[in-house]
Amino acid sequence: QLILGSTATRLAQELAQPLLVVRRRTRGRYARIVVANDFGDAARRALSTAVGLFPAHRITLMHVLEDSARGIAEASRGAVHSAFEKSERFLDQCALPAGAHARIDIVIGHGNVAEAVSRHVEATGTQLVVLGVHPRSALARVFVGSISDELLRRLPCDTLLVRATEGGAYA
């Protein structure tokens, strides 16, 4: 697994369609959905997929500020506001259907991405997280790591993996 990464992530990088990883069998519809946002093409595709698959649902678009040694106090002075504005611009640049923007809530987290998203999921009772997957070689995953791999290990809820387009930008 260290060399090849998780099976789900490898499959998601190869498949054209999204891949649903189920933790627990759902007895109803997904009431709370989070889309992880790094402002890249994979996040754009993940958001578009979530909006398309769940047209009547509210969706949370979550960006995480990886806090530096200055900590949360420094981040709160302007970084949160800046990240919120950047998230709004990101939404404006996404080709979403009419009315979709009004169903999307923006949340800004702090700290390690996997930890922050997991905390949010547990605190809000989120049932589905939608992740954009950036195509990477096995060697790159060993040296750079994969946030999607770490999230898959940590998240207590179902996860929908959506592959970025070929040649898509990474932010």
Side-chain angles (χ1 to χ4, degrees), residues 47-84:
L47 179 61
S48 177
T49 299
V51 166
L53 290 175
F54 306 101
H57 290 68
R58 292 207 64 80
I59 295 172
T60 299
L61 181 67
M62 183 173 187
H63 177 71
V64 177
L65 294 171
E66 294 188 82
D67 300 322
S68 65
R70 292 180 293 230
I72 292 174
E74 179 71 19
S76 66
R77 291 189 194 139
V80 171
H81 181 70
S82 176
F84 189 86

Side-chain angles (χ1 to χ4, degrees), residues 11-108:
L11 276 172
Q13 290 181 2
E14 300 296 324
L15 296 173
Q17 66 273 15
L19 177 67
L20 179 63
V21 178
V22 177
R23 292 271 187 224
R24 291 182 223 135
R25 185 174 176 169
T26 303
R27 298 283 183 213
R29 62 182 230 165
Y30 291 115
R32 291 186 178 84
I33 301 169
V34 170
V35 176
N37 182 21
D38 66 359
F39 306 114
D41 181 59
R44 186 171 286 107
R45 292 238 4 215
L47 179 61
S48 177
T49 299
V51 166
L53 290 175
F54 306 101
H57 290 68
R58 292 207 64 80
I59 295 172
T60 299
L61 181 67
M62 183 173 187
H63 177 71
V64 177
L65 294 171
E66 294 188 82
D67 300 322
S68 65
R70 292 180 293 230
I72 292 174
E74 179 71 19
S76 66
R77 291 189 194 139
V80 171
H81 181 70
S82 176
F84 189 86
E85 287 180 341
K86 190 172 180 181
S87 295
E88 284 286 350
R89 285 193 303 274
F90 175 81
L91 274 175
D92 291 341
Q93 295 168 357
C94 291
L96 299 175
H101 193 293
R103 296 186 294 111
I104 299 170
D105 302 309
I106 296 172
V107 170
I108 308 299

Side-chain angles (χ1 to χ4, degrees), residues 78-165:
V80 171
H81 181 70
S82 176
F84 189 86
E85 287 180 341
K86 190 172 180 181
S87 295
E88 284 286 350
R89 285 193 303 274
F90 175 81
L91 274 175
D92 291 341
Q93 295 168 357
C94 291
L96 299 175
H101 193 293
R103 296 186 294 111
I104 299 170
D105 302 309
I106 296 172
V107 170
I108 308 299
H110 293 281
N112 173 281
V113 173
E115 290 174 8
V117 174
S118 295
R119 277 193 312 268
H120 179 79
V121 163
E122 290 176 16
T124 61
T126 296
Q127 291 102 2
L128 178 68
V129 173
V130 183
L131 298 176
V133 177
H134 300 283
R136 290 191 177 158
S137 69
L139 189 60
R141 284 194 308 273
V142 168
F143 290 109
V144 179
S146 169
I147 292 173
S148 56
D149 280 349
E150 188 175 349
L151 279 164
L152 277 172
R153 284 191 298 273
R154 285 179 177 257
L155 291 173
C157 63
D158 294 354
T159 308
L160 184 66
L161 301 172
V162 179
R163 185 180 68 154
T165 57

